[in-house]
Amino acid sequence: MNRRLLWAASLGAIAACAMSTPAFAQDAAPAAQTAAPTVQSAPAAPSAANGDDGTGDVIVTGSRITSSGFQAPTPTSVIGAEQLQLNAQPNVFATIAQLPSLQGSSGSTTNTFSTSSGQQGLSSFSLRGLGTIRTLTLIDNQRVVPANVTGVPDVSLFPQLLIKRVDVVNGGASSSYGSDAVGGVVNFITDTRFEGFKGNVQGAITKYGDNKTALAQAAYGTSLLDNRLHVIVSGEYDREGGVGPGDYGFGLAKGRDWFTGRTVINRNVLNDGAPQYVVADYAQPYNQAKYGLITSGPLQGIAFDPAGNPVPFLYGSNGTPSKNSTGSVNGCYPGFCIGGDTSGNVDAGRTLQSALKRWDAYSRVGYDFADNNEIYVTVNVAQVKTHNQPINGMARPGLTIQCANAFLPAAIQAQCAAAGITSFGFGTSNAILPSTRVDTDRRQYRYVAGAKGKFDLFGTDWSYDTYYQYGLNKTIVDVSHIMLNRRFDQAINATRINGVIVCADPVARANGCQPINVFGATPPSAAALAYVQPENGPYQHSRQRQDVVSLNFSGSPVELWAGPLSIAFGGEWRREQYRVTADPYGNGINEQAGIPGTPYSADYPADPVLLDTGNNWFAGNYKNGRGKYNVKEAFFEADLPLFNAPNGIGRANLNAAARVTDYSTSGTVWTWKVGGTWDTPLDGFRLRAVTSRDVRAPNLSELFAAPVTTTQPNFLDPFRNVNVLAIQNTIGNPNLTPEIARNTSFGAVLANPKWLPGLSVSFDYYRIKIKDVINTLGAADIVNYCFRQVLPTCDSFNLNNPNGPNFINVQPFNFAQIKTTGYDIEASYRWARPLGLGGALTVRGLATHIIKYVTDTGLPGTIPTDTAGNNTGSTPNWKLLAIQTYETDKWSFLVQERWISNGKYNLNYIECESNCPVSTVNHPTINNNRIKGAFYVDIGGSYNILPQVTAYFKVDNLFNQSPPLLPGFPSPSLYDILGRTYRVGLRFNL
């Protein structure tokens, strides 16, 4: 019943948008071309919604055919420059990511909790929730050099002020563009004929006084030599202050109060009538405290205050320490109590949005060497620098402290003697150490030389487009204020020699060890801090290069019974390569998998305390890596008119394409598509359908990845039922093959009918099935499959490693399937002079409903998992965007609503409080399986101070809606985690 009510409510919202009165359109007249995401089905003629490329050809994203009158069967949403302006975002990525069909895109609020990913500040799109690696992003139908080894570009480095429109193809397009276009394509169309001088300046700040933003953009274009030489330059600078970390405990930055430390706790009990998993707020890990806690043995439960005095630790849940070797707490869950002393919680110390500085310089020079024929060169050089704090402190549970430690209070040493022990378990949040900072510097160099135009062949018109692109991305990741684990272990093991407190180990002492007092808040000496957190921290220097040569032809060689037969054909060669170098403490000095190690140096001297094999840092243990592959492709596409009787049965066409691709790593694969459109006899009513075979080739990271390490500070070891500190190593697999997808969609469009000009409504159903999905088992799955004897994964981890750090190795394989179905609804209407008033009212709405999103690993003992409506990720059941705009010649006002439906933690969970069935791997029990959705309202407006100068404002999240309570932090691709944001600016166009 709830599902039907939700469905009805969502349809009602869309219907209200459509009935209010006209707007954006399928094949809409200029009156419909206003600032909105528009329903698009390859318009029949150049217009503001589709435009041309300067040679008179219509650019239709999702097809290589450029003939006038062509109608592509794949649903395409279009965002014009006006909508980008009205949304007033410093990065156009944020506007486009609001489209409901985009789910799971990454931006400046994602990856901020990470030390090792190298993706901080990376803006990339994900269509259909299939991930950024399955969405192809283009500029003017051309590929862009990846900004990361995962193969995705950074949209923030594009020339944003010159964007004329953005086409979002909601469906597979591999037969047109090759690999990665499984979920669809996002194509940025730039204004290659811009003339004049325009600019934009903007400032922004949140309700909380942070993320202060300053943006300046300018572009200039002119034509010379009798309008044959076209010169365009643009530049921009963006500085965003970010939203920094909160303090220890649960307080977020600048008074944000929605974080409660919600945790899904595994009781690890399956059949006692209570749920196995418990969702709890203010969860208290009892294996550490802010200034130190004895966690096992007879002295368990003794904490230390800032002065270093021993005090009883206040356990939540009225817990009492068991005082045995396991460190369990009576009355508490495994690993956690609820409430109590939570001052040592480290999670609130995460950056919510990376601070960034971004600049972009772009130039294009084109020369018309003949009518409708041009040669051109483009240069795009850009840089984005970000920094973030992944977490507060560097929590170290599971330590062993000697009772003879020179810093240990005499009272505790006496209790050790009375209990007959020489050591005890200990955990600390390490609040005495500076917190880690990650600095990322990403630079893009993109150069394109090309030619395009028209020519006559046997009395028919043909067009061509050829280009060569050289793209280079350089990324530098530097981590500061991070400790070397083994040095820290030596520094806290203190003894007294000749009345002086020193490190107990003579080898460590000889190599610069300085003692640290972990009992209380006494800050380390400068020398001790330099020893455990050296000035030269982890680094990763990566370089991605992309070379592309492309040649395409399109024309109409023959006239048939219902119109011209249009075809396109061509080929492409591409080479992708990368190289990564890292520091010796993280990578190690030895060769690994044929890749040389990094030698010690003056900045990273040899130290017998450290491991020559690497993984010495608390986090950020980057690895050296390299790899390359090349691709050769050829394609053919045809559009066959079936009939053309406007006064009879209407007009229909059949569109088909095929592409053969040869990968140097995995061989040859074919992709294809077959589809068509029918303009029915009903006024403005069109049917469309398409099915395609698409591919995604494994990217450089999946094939040749240098091992990426992630620190798991509270990883459950089910064998001992304790939480441990472990390092997760993710490594590549050169034997991977392409993923194969089958993508089908069909729908109906009502566009600009005579009985209501300007109205446009569309409905499209989609079904995507991907096999041989490249996937990895999660670290927890690897351990649990071994623990439950489901799979032989026991050799992939060691959670009780006396000779080095605990670890779990994960590696990708082709073993999974993804099946997702759903539908898109888009509607728009524009009402000129409403109720006799001046101006125009435009109402529009877009919605996507995910019916199912099923991942099937095919592993023994598992069942398919449906994540449609799993709001911990990026695939809610419903996502809606509604926009209302009133415009006059002098001013405009905008209201925008964004809605996300309620969801669950996991659709396989069985929710119960008592009398629960036996909890199983496939259907575990949980006490709360509900996650709230969200509803946001944004407003904005503009006023023309002068005919060519416009002032504007925007308020995002007008009612300062907080995100729902979720384990850890809510997904920033779904929820607003910053709060209300104010923006003001000035635009000019001279």
Side-chain angles (χ1 to χ4, degrees):
M1 175 64 71
N2 290 338
R3 192 180 186 93
R4 275 181 273 174
L5 286 173
L6 182 60
W7 184 86
S10 300
L11 274 184
I14 292 294
C17 290
M19 295 174 63
S20 286
T21 0
F24 64 108
Q26 203 87 20
D27 298 338
Q33 304 305 328
T34 58
T38 63
V39 180
Q40 181 71 7
S41 182
S47 70
N50 57 21
D52 60 64
D53 63 358
T55 64
D57 285 330
V58 179
I59 299 175
V60 179
T61 302
S63 172
R64 294 291 190 171
I65 292 176
T66 59
S67 301
S68 296
F70 171 64
Q71 294 176 342
T74 309
T76 302
S77 297
V78 177
I79 301 179
E82 299 89 349
Q83 173 63 19
L84 298 177
Q85 290 180 355
L86 282 175
N87 223 6
Q89 302 294 324
N91 183 355
V92 297
F93 163 85
T95 298
I96 300 160
Q98 291 174 355
L99 288 175
S101 60
L102 284 153
Q103 298 133 357
S105 302
S106 67
S108 58
T109 55
T110 57
N111 298 304
T112 61
F113 306 162
S114 170
T115 303
S116 305
S117 71
Q119 299 184 41
Q120 292 86 345
L122 181 64
S123 299
S124 52
F125 296 117
S126 169
L127 278 161
R128 303 297 188 208
L130 294 172
T132 57
I133 56 177
R134 298 184 184 92
T135 298
L136 182 61
T137 302
L138 307 171
I139 295 181
D140 293 325
N141 278 346
Q142 299 172 354
R143 285 184 177 262
V144 182
V145 59
N148 187 269
V149 293
T150 58
V152 298
D154 187 348
V155 173
S156 72
L157 301 179
F158 292 7
Q160 306 205 10
L161 199 59
L162 291 174
I163 295 170
K164 186 163 61 175
R165 76 175 199 273
V166 182
D167 296 346
V168 180
V169 179
N170 298 305
S174 293
S175 59
S176 296
Y177 297 107
S179 177
D180 304 337
V182 173
V185 176
V186 181
N187 190 13
F188 289 79
I189 306 299
T190 63
D191 188 350
T192 60
R193 287 293 188 269
F194 171 69
E195 293 187 19
F197 180 55
K198 64 180 178 179
N200 176 43
V201 292
Q202 182 189 116
I205 192 171
T206 72
K207 170 186 181 294
Y208 302 94
D210 51 17
N211 199 32
K212 297 177 181 178
T213 300
L215 173 70
Q217 300 170 304
Y220 174 77
T222 188
S223 295
L224 306 169
L225 303 180
D226 295 327
N227 206 36
R228 288 190 173 275
L229 181 65
H230 308 278
V231 180
I232 299 173
V233 294
S234 74
E236 57 191 277
Y237 175 78
D238 176 26
R239 186 184 72 241
E240 301 176 33
V243 177
D247 203 348
Y248 288 85
F250 292 111
L252 295 177
K254 299 295 183 72
R256 292 172 175 86
D257 59 2
W258 48 262
F259 180 68
T260 62
R262 175 163 287 193
T263 304
V264 177
I265 301 171
N266 184 357
R267 295 174 53 244
N268 217 24
V269 180
L270 311 180
N271 57 358
D272 64 348
Q276 175 187 352
Y277 291 96
V278 175
V279 178
D281 294 325
Y282 303 104
Q284 174 202 53
Y286 54 67
N287 57 1
Q288 66 193 49
K290 186 173 184 179
Y291 299 117
L293 171 67
I294 299 178
T295 57
S296 64
L299 308 188
Q300 181 186 359
I302 296 176
F304 297 88
D305 67 12
N309 301 311
V311 294
F313 183 66
L314 179 59
Y315 289 100
S317 307
N318 295 316
T320 57
S322 64
K323 299 192 175 184
N324 57 31
S325 61
T326 67
S328 60
V329 177
N330 303 319
C332 292
Y333 299 114
F336 297 92
C337 298
I338 307 303
D341 181 359
T342 58
S343 63
N345 178 71
V346 297
D347 293 316
R350 303 174 187 269
T351 296
L352 297 183
Q353 174 168 319
S354 296
L356 68 83
K357 293 180 181 179
R358 174 177 62 87
W359 64 265
D360 178 283
Y362 174 87
S363 65
R364 186 184 191 276
V365 178
Y367 180 72
D368 297 339
F369 61 89
D371 290 344
N372 294 322
N373 287 271
E374 180 193 38
I375 58 173
Y376 64 90
V377 175
T378 66
V379 177
N380 187 187
V381 180
Q383 179 185 38
V384 58
K385 300 174 71 173
T386 70
H387 67 80
N388 66 287
Q389 178 176 303
I391 202 166
N392 270 333
M394 275 149 280
R396 286 294 306 273
L399 295 170
T400 298
I401 298 295
Q402 301 300 316
C403 291
N405 191 294
F407 289 116
L408 192 64
I412 303 301
Q413 291 181 338
Q415 290 186 50
C416 282
I421 60 173
T422 59
S423 64
F424 50 81
F426 186 81
T428 175
S429 302
N430 266 323
I432 61 174
L433 298 179
S435 295
T436 300
R437 170 168 160 155
V438 182
D439 286 88
T440 303
D441 183 348
R442 187 176 298 111
R443 305 183 186 191
Q444 174 183 287
Y445 307 86
R446 183 174 184 265
Y447 309 95
V448 180
K452 59 183 179 180
K454 291 185 174 182
F455 62 93
D456 179 83
L457 182 64
F458 303 119
T460 60
D461 290 331
W462 289 79
S463 64
Y464 66 92
D465 183 0
T466 183
Y467 73 92
Y468 165 72
Q469 179 211 249
Y470 168 80
L472 180 65
N473 182 85
K474 296 180 178 180
T475 301
I476 298 174
V477 181
D478 286 313
V479 184
S480 56
H481 304 306
I482 193 164
M483 71 180 174
L484 290 161
N485 285 329
R486 296 171 69 86
R487 284 189 180 177
F488 177 80
D489 294 344
Q490 295 296 337
I492 65 174
N493 184 19
T495 189
R496 195 181 298 271
I497 298 178
N498 298 325
V500 178
I501 299 177
V502 296
C503 299
D505 186 283
V507 175
R509 209 161 53 239
N511 285 273
C513 181
Q514 296 292 319
I516 290 178
N517 181 3
V518 290
F519 313 111
T522 303
S525 67
L529 200 58
Y531 178 72
V532 298
Q533 292 185 334
E535 178 182 0
N536 298 304
Y539 70 76
Q540 180 191 64
H541 297 171
S542 65
R543 173 189 174 104
Q544 292 85 39
R545 175 175 172 175
Q546 182 186 74
D547 295 88
V548 182
V549 178
S550 178
L551 175 62
N552 308 294
F553 295 95
S554 178
S556 301
V558 295
E559 188 77 21
L560 300 177
W561 62 91
L565 171 68
S566 299
I567 65 171
F569 60 91
E572 184 172 292
W573 174 88
R574 178 164 46 96
R575 180 176 61 195
E576 308 272 1
Q577 54 187 319
Y578 93 110
R579 185 177 72 238
V580 178
T581 57
D583 65 278
Y585 292 168
N587 177 78
I589 64 172
N590 303 317
E591 180 178 301
Q592 301 180 52
I595 300 174
T598 303
Y600 292 126
S601 65
D603 289 335
Y604 298 89
D607 184 346
V609 168
L610 304 179
L611 299 173
D612 289 341
T613 54
N615 288 336
N616 289 292
W617 299 105
F618 177 81
N621 289 289
Y622 305 112
K623 305 296 180 180
N624 295 345
R626 63 188 179 192
K628 64 180 178 179
Y629 67 86
N630 60 69
V631 186
K632 299 185 289 290
E633 302 181 276
F635 75 92
F636 178 83
E637 182 175 1
D639 181 64
L640 173 67
L642 299 178
F643 49 83
N644 188 2
N647 297 321
I649 60 174
R651 176 175 180 240
N653 71 299
L654 178 69
N655 178 242
R659 175 180 288 254
V660 59
T661 304
D662 179 65
Y663 294 99
S664 61
T665 53
S666 55
T668 302
V669 63
W670 283 85
T671 57
W672 51 262
K673 74 171 179 179
V674 178
T677 63
W678 177 25
D679 290 330
T680 72
L682 300 176
D683 181 27
F685 186 66
R686 176 185 303 148
L687 299 176
R688 59 188 176 195
V690 64
T691 186
S692 62
R693 185 180 195 257
D694 302 286
V695 299
R696 184 187 77 84
N699 57 49
L700 290 166
S701 175
E702 293 163 331
L703 290 166
F704 312 111
V708 175
T709 62
T710 305
T711 302
Q712 305 284 357
N714 285 295
F715 192 89
L716 178 64
D717 178 358
F719 297 91
R720 296 180 291 153
N721 203 29
V722 297
N723 288 343
V724 299
L725 177 72
I727 290 177
Q728 175 183 314
N729 298 308
T730 303
I731 58 179
N733 181 357
N735 298 316
L736 294 172
T737 58
E739 300 175 346
I740 306 297
R742 183 67 181 272
N743 201 320
T744 300
S745 68
F746 54 84
V749 180
L750 179 63
N752 207 26
K754 295 177 182 177
W755 47 270
L756 194 56
L759 172 69
S760 183
V761 181
S762 74
F763 176 94
D764 288 282
Y765 170 87
Y766 68 87
R767 181 178 70 244
I768 304 172
K769 178 181 178 181
I770 312 175
K771 65 179 183 178
D772 296 329
V773 171
I774 298 169
N775 204 348
T776 59
L777 293 173
D781 290 332
I782 289 173
V783 173
N784 286 331
Y785 283 140
C786 169
F787 177 67
R788 298 179 184 275
Q789 300 181 353
V790 174
L791 284 177
T793 57
C794 300
D795 291 337
S796 298
F797 65 90
N798 188 337
L799 298 180
N800 189 17
N801 187 7
N803 299 317
N806 302 324
F807 67 88
I808 312 104
N809 290 332
V810 299
Q811 185 179 27
F813 295 94
N814 294 94
F815 68 89
Q817 287 190 356
I818 295 175
K819 296 179 183 178
T820 180
T821 60
Y823 52 83
D824 301 319
I825 309 170
E826 302 191 19
S828 176
Y829 190 75
R830 178 181 170 88
W831 187 6
R833 299 185 61 81
L835 303 177
L837 301 174
L841 174 67
T842 302
V843 183
R844 54 187 66 86
L846 307 90
T848 292
H849 174 48
I850 303 177
I851 299 172
K852 68 177 182 179
Y853 191 105
V854 177
T855 302
D856 185 1
T857 65
L859 295 171
T862 66
I863 62 173
T865 301
D866 188 356
T867 54
N870 181 343
N871 285 23
T872 62
S874 57
T875 51
N877 281 126
W878 282 94
K879 183 180 176 184
L880 181 143
L881 174 68
I883 307 167
Q884 304 86 45
T885 308
Y886 190 86
E887 298 172 279
T888 71
D889 293 338
K890 194 70 175 176
W891 57 270
S892 69
F893 186 75
L894 170 143
V895 180
Q896 177 174 280
E897 299 87 21
R898 296 173 282 139
W899 176 65
I900 299 163
S901 59
N902 295 336
K904 298 182 177 181
Y905 292 104
N906 190 309
L907 274 65
N908 289 342
Y909 280 148
I910 298 173
E911 184 175 340
C912 56
E913 291 283 355
S914 59
N915 298 317
C916 296
V918 174
S919 186
T920 65
V921 174
N922 294 324
H923 293 289
T925 53
I926 193 169
N927 70 323
N928 178 4
N929 195 25
R930 300 177 301 277
I931 299 175
K932 290 184 178 180
F935 182 77
Y936 303 106
V937 177
D938 312 321
I939 62 171
S942 65
Y943 183 80
N944 296 331
I945 301 173
L946 298 171
Q948 296 171 318
V949 180
T950 301
Y952 64 90
F953 79 94
K954 180 80 184 302
V955 182
D956 294 328
N957 193 358
L958 177 66
F959 300 113
N960 197 38
Q961 180 71 38
S962 296
L965 301 179
L966 281 167
F969 283 77
S971 169
S973 67
L974 284 185
Y975 297 103
D976 186 327
I977 62 175
L978 303 185
R980 184 187 306 133
T981 298
Y982 306 94
R983 307 183 192 280
V984 294
L986 200 68
R987 284 189 293 266
F988 62 87
N989 195 343
L990 307 178

